[in-house]
Amino acid sequence: MTVQTSHTARRGAAIAFLSPAMAVIVLFVAVPIALTFWISLHDWSMYTPLSQMTWRGLGNYADLLHSDDFLNALENTLVYVVIVLVTTVPLALALGMLLYFPKMAGKGVARAALFSTYVIPTVAIAIVWGALYAPDYGPLSQALGAVGIDSPAWLSDPQTALLSLGVFHVWQMTGYYTILVIAGLTQIPDDVYEAARIDGAGFWRQTFSVTLPLLRRTTTFIVLIAAINAIQVFDPVYILTQGGPAESTTVLSYAIQRAAFQNGMAGQASAMAFSLLLVLVAVAGVVLAAMRRRTAAEGRS
Amino acid sequence: MRRTVRAATALAFGLVILVPLFPLYWMVISALKGPEELQKAPPTWFPSHVTLSAFGEVFKAVPFGSAFLNSVLIAGVSTLSVLVTSVMAGFVFAKYRFRGRDLLFWSVVATMFLPPIVTLVPLYWLVSTMGLADSYLGVMLPWLANAFGIFLMRQFIADVPEELIEAARLDGASEARIVWQIVTPLLRPALVSLAIFAFVFYWNNFLWPLSILQSDDKFPVVLALSRLLSYSTSVQYQNVVMAGALIASVPTIVVFLLAQRVFVQSISRTGVKG
């Protein structure tokens, strides 16, 4: 076989191998992203043909800025993301170190238990959490009552409902992030710690001067993934609160689905969806740029 | 001092095992309780009277059996398709050189982070315009390939030695033969973990089937479960709902336990790289 024919054969193979995956991704991911933007410039009910769309320009976006529903959903989403980030990230770092460093039996069991929450269908386990949170019949209120604490009404109180969903999210996802931390820890060579010990650094000193700085990439990645996962929370809201009570748990993804599929306002739903995408891109950009700048600064020093 | 540290660590280990498992425990005992016991406030932490009746009722309340099979079909076909498409695309991105390759690859990888809600409306429109609303194919089609699988496979195929592939080419093996008979057998652990990831993801996927399906005979099990919940919100039926939740969770739990080690390792492999 000549070089020329093998080259042509390989080009044919490349096209054949790539096209199934690329067809799906282009048709069902790339095209829909563009369509989301296009639809967001129109008034349209999803259940009518595209020809019945009417042009609105940026009108839907202008409406969003004055829409109490959207602003409420945006605020709820932000609060939810903050609740999740400030708890899961430190917790995952602490648990990762706990399940990596000590020489103790049961590490494997603990890792498996922690990670198991991630594989169970959200719908199934959210139903269980609904029962755990139940005011009279639930174990949580009972346990708090036993130690003399007046239990909040959890999901039925607008003050605590969003927080309760956040607690569920933290319970469900922390195991996954912990495994990522453990993966990061395995990449730190032992001699770094040895050197620190010779310099007289104790446990806390090692944690803050060696472990955490060397885990920065992992941590950044976890912050990003955790934010993306929290921003799109839908299943538990749909199952447990339907956005209530008093709209206190209406987050963006729920508002988008409701506007499009229940209220027939696909244009406005798409404006929300595209805004969400822009926010995500901006957040990812900032986080990644910050990471790059830090890495560059370290390289120079 | 040492002893306090050890005791604290042991306590923390205990919590790390108990806290994740407690809701599972609650799911199981609630499924085993009878209606009278469920109506007790405060609740009992161990069923005083174990009954399996809820596991029969769940199949009468909604078509739970066919929903279970629907999930097997949907998750099974999607997983198979993801394995095949990911190996092929991963091979190209790992072993072929062409202009724009890295740009294309990273564009694909970026879609991994796209929340499905962003494109839900046009996706619904596209699939129903193709005449596939409320069909099995409509549920599966948009998910028959994904960026995560391609990314994972590229990472693993990149480690396959170049000489092996060159040697096969010199022996006159076609590119297809190289992919399926030389490269794929070397990917066993990676394929197992991708299969598990995909299966768990498609089994649990809720938003898309909820949006595209109308008839209950096509519902996957998580959708049947949410329907079951809306029929039986009263606490005395909680055993039925919990039995449903348990049945819906069993496949993912079994798959996870069978391949737990590979699963956790593969996260280490893909979670953070570079």
Side-chain angles (χ1 to χ4, degrees), chain A residues 50 115 119 142 171 217 221 232, chain B residues 19-20 45 125 204 263 271 274:
Chain A
L50 265 196
F115 193 73
V119 300
Q142 188 195 4
W171 173 85
R217 265 164 185 280
F221 182 77
Q232 58 177 306
Chain B
V19 173
W45 288 50
W125 175 79
N204 298 351
F263 205 46

Side-chain angles (χ1 to χ4, degrees), chain A residues 237-299:
Chain A
V237 177
Y238 183 89
I239 294 293
L240 289 175
T241 63
Q242 304 270 319
E247 297 293 304
S248 62
T249 59
T250 303
V251 288
L252 270 179
S253 59
Y254 189 75
I256 293 169
Q257 208 267 355
R258 187 171 60 183
F261 286 82
Q262 290 169 43
N263 303 341
M265 302 198 304
Q268 208 170 67
S270 297
M272 286 195 259
F274 201 74
S275 311
L276 176 65
L277 179 63
L278 292 181
V279 170
L280 264 185
V281 171
V283 169
V286 169
V287 172
L288 292 177
M291 181 167 83
R292 189 161 298 173
R293 210 172 30 241
R294 272 210 152 134
T295 324
E298 272 158 26

